[in-house]
């Protein structure tokens, strides 16, 4: 059973995550987080005694978990790695578009803003990206791509998606994500096809 304290901590992390997406890490103040979460101010320092940095790490961890779940759901919805990649990018395109291009990837926001300032936040972002690269590599391996190549390709896929989200927000168009979906799917199919033919 989830305790009241755990619920408050989760609510604070979720609010921090949402505000990072709309205001950036630097533009998100602790008072705004407390107000958004409808939590007592004292609870913030109780759950996050290290203040904003600790709350930022919790928000990045939450984003990592959410996107990892999206990858898993996409993998279950199709029988190919290319199809899973398309499903992930389509879902992200919907999120970005329906938010009127205000939401993107909070992990990239924190990495760009704080990667050189806070080793703890940089490491949290690195861990988040790794949590997306590893399952993507596993999907590619399941599709017949060699382990080392699968890791390299998975890194390219995640990096391409991250870039497409940023460009889509800047252009206020989901076309960059649609283009990324097409190119990523083709790339995966090209890498998987030789292995499938060999079998």
């Amino acid at each position: 059973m989830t305790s009241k304290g755990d619920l408050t901590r989760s609510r604070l992390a979720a609010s921090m995550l949402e505000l990072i997406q709309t205001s950036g890490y630097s533009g998100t103040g602790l008072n705004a987080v407390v107000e958004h979460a409808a939590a007592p101010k004292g609870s913030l320092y109780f759950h996050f005694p290290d203040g904003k940095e600790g709350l930022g790490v919790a928000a990045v961890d939450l984003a990592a978990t959410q996107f990892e779940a999206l990858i898993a759901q996409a993998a279950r919805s199709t029988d190919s790695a290319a199809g899973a990649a398309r499903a992930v990018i389509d879902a992200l395109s919907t999120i970005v578009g329906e938010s009127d291009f205000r939401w993107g990837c909070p992990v990239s926001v924190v990495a760009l803003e704080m990667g050189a300032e806070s080793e703890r936040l940089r490491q949290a972002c690195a861990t988040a990206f790794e949590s997306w690269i590893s399952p993507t590599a596993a999907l590619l391996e399941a599709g017949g791509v060699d382990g080392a190549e699968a890791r390299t390709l998975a890194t390219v896929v995640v990096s391409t998606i991250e870039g497409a989200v940023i460009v889509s927000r800047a252009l206020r168009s989901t076309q960059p994500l649609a283009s990324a979906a097409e190119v990523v799917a083709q790339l995966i199919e090209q890498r998987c096809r030789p292995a499938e033919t060999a079998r």
Side-chain angles (χ1 to χ4, degrees), residues 12-23:
L12 287 165
S15 289
M16 181 68 172
L17 176 59
E18 184 172 338
L19 291 172
I20 285 173
Q21 293 195 97
T22 56
S23 303

Side-chain angles (χ1 to χ4, degrees), residues 16-190:
M16 181 68 172
L17 176 59
E18 184 172 338
L19 291 172
I20 285 173
Q21 293 195 97
T22 56
S23 303
Y25 179 86
S26 299
T28 298
L30 293 181
N31 287 337
V33 175
V34 169
E35 182 178 348
H36 187 276
K41 189 167 186 178
S43 66
L44 190 150
Y45 287 102
F46 176 79
H47 293 291
F48 301 98
D50 46 356
K52 186 175 180 179
E53 186 179 54
L55 187 55
V57 169
V60 168
D61 289 347
L62 177 58
T65 299
Q66 290 175 348
F67 192 62
E68 194 174 359
L70 180 60
I71 294 172
Q73 181 180 353
R76 290 192 298 269
S77 71
T78 181
D79 58 359
S80 73
R86 284 185 183 276
V88 166
I89 298 174
D90 286 348
L92 289 175
S93 181
T94 298
I95 291 169
V96 171
E98 289 184 350
S99 73
D100 194 28
F101 303 95
R102 298 180 69 208
W103 283 29
C105 176
V107 178
S108 63
V109 170
V110 174
L112 289 169
E113 285 190 37
M114 300 303 297
E117 304 295 327
S118 167
E119 175 59 20
R120 189 177 174 200
L121 286 169
R122 185 204 65 76
Q123 185 57 57
C125 292
T127 300
F129 287 129
E130 178 59 37
S131 75
W132 307 338
I133 291 169
S134 290
T136 303
L139 281 174
L140 293 168
E141 285 193 66
V145 181
D146 176 71
E149 186 182 357
R151 167 77 190 188
T152 298
L153 183 54
T155 303
V156 169
V157 169
V158 171
S159 300
T160 300
I161 293 171
E162 286 294 304
V165 168
I166 292 170
V167 177
S168 286
R169 292 184 71 190
L171 297 182
R172 294 184 62 80
S173 167
T174 57
Q175 185 55 50
L177 279 161
S179 298
E182 188 66 27
V183 172
V184 164
Q186 289 177 4
L187 182 60
I188 292 173
E189 287 169 353
Q190 289 169 2

